[in-house]
Amino acid sequence: SYELTQPLSVSVALGQPARITCGGNNIGSKNVHWYQQKPGQAPVLVIYRDFNRPSGIPERFSGSNSGNTATLTISRAQAGDEADYYCQVWDSSYVFGTGTKVTVL
Amino acid sequence: EVQLVESGGGLVQPGGSLRLSCAASGFTFSSYWMHWVRQAPGKGLVWVSRTNSDGSRTNYADSAKGRFTISRDNAKNTLYLQMNSLRAEDTAVYYCARVGAADGPIDYWGQGTLVTVSS
């Protein structure tokens, strides 16, 4: 079965960029979606089909996907961006990444 | 406003059964694929099952095959998950979720309902 690997945690200084990677075999050939989940809340879609932002998602969230790695970038991290982030693809079923906890220092 | 409200969770003994419901509002329910996704305490998201807009197609994760059944009642705008032969490892928050297009991203999630399997 297809697997998506994410770093367990990422720490970033307030106002600095944060990059969260999602590794998978030839993931560049797939559509990657990203979700943000704050404690005690349901996930929220922040990037879909590699780099598209749903309405209401701040421009500081962006995405890219090539080769074996997809990346979610928060250009200027805010305290409110502290959350768990999950990548997801379709590969005969819905597959979620292992999740990354983002801490803003 | 799109709303998905799950219910039916609770404490159940191993080997027992439970039926989850998800009441949908704010959109044309009968036009969308619907999914169940679960999250064990302190763990990540795991896809469970999906059904197409009229309920004629269903898919399951290996962990759910043969034990769980997804269904929907478009007249009642409600999604269901019948869970049988429950195990301790099924303990999780179960989320109802909407997908805008088959194989597409999940664009709306419910708040989830907690299922605890324990003796």
Side-chain angles (χ1 to χ4, degrees):
Chain A
S1 61
Y2 196 78
E3 294 184 353
L4 295 172
T5 302
Q6 299 181 234
L8 197 58
S9 63
V10 167
S11 296
V12 58
L14 183 69
Q16 294 301 302
R19 295 179 182 84
I20 305 154
T21 57
C22 175
N25 184 33
N26 197 27
I27 195 174
S29 67
K30 301 180 183 299
N31 289 315
V32 179
H33 318 299
W34 290 92
Y35 304 90
Q36 174 195 70
Q37 186 180 33
K38 296 182 179 179
Q41 298 184 18
V44 171
L45 180 67
V46 294
I47 292 289
Y48 66 97
R49 295 191 185 94
D50 298 343
F51 54 79
N52 297 280
R53 274 180 296 105
S55 60
I57 300 301
E59 289 184 8
R60 64 178 182 274
F61 287 89
S62 63
S64 63
N65 184 20
S66 178
N68 293 317
T69 305
T71 303
L72 173 69
T73 301
I74 308 172
S75 59
R76 294 172 299 279
Q78 306 296 309
D81 298 332
E82 281 205 342
D84 294 327
Y85 291 83
Y86 295 89
C87 56
Q88 178 254 309
V89 302
W90 164 258
D91 182 81
S92 301
S93 70
Y94 276 62
V95 180
F96 288 94
T98 50
T100 299
K101 182 177 182 60
V102 171
T103 301
V104 180
L105 305 172
Chain B
E1 178 193 6
V2 172
Q3 287 200 324
L4 299 169
V5 179
E6 302 93 337
S7 60
L11 176 64
V12 60
Q13 291 189 340
S17 298
L18 214 53
R19 188 177 83 154
L20 306 182
S21 300
C22 170
S25 61
F27 65 103
T28 305
F29 180 70
S30 59
S31 296
Y32 289 84
W33 286 75
M34 296 296 296
H35 294 236
W36 289 99
V37 177
R38 71 184 183 184
Q39 186 171 35
K43 303 297 184 182
L45 301 170
V46 176
W47 177 77
V48 175
S49 181
R50 70 170 182 171
T51 182
N52 68 339
S53 58
D54 66 6
S56 61
R57 291 175 58 186
T58 58
N59 299 101
Y60 299 92
D62 287 344
S63 60
K65 283 178 185 174
R67 299 189 302 129
F68 293 3
T69 302
I70 190 172
S71 63
R72 64 192 297 161
D73 185 337
N74 284 347
K76 295 183 177 179
N77 290 341
T78 303
L79 177 72
Y80 302 101
L81 185 68
Q82 177 67 44
M83 303 186 295
N84 299 330
S85 303
L86 284 162
R87 308 164 180 162
E89 53 265 36
D90 295 319
T91 294
V93 173
Y94 285 73
Y95 293 102
C96 165
R98 188 189 89 165
V99 167
D103 307 343
I106 294 173
D107 57 1
Y108 285 96
W109 301 69
Q111 284 304 305
T113 186
L114 176 62
V115 172
T116 303
V117 184
S118 174
S119 55

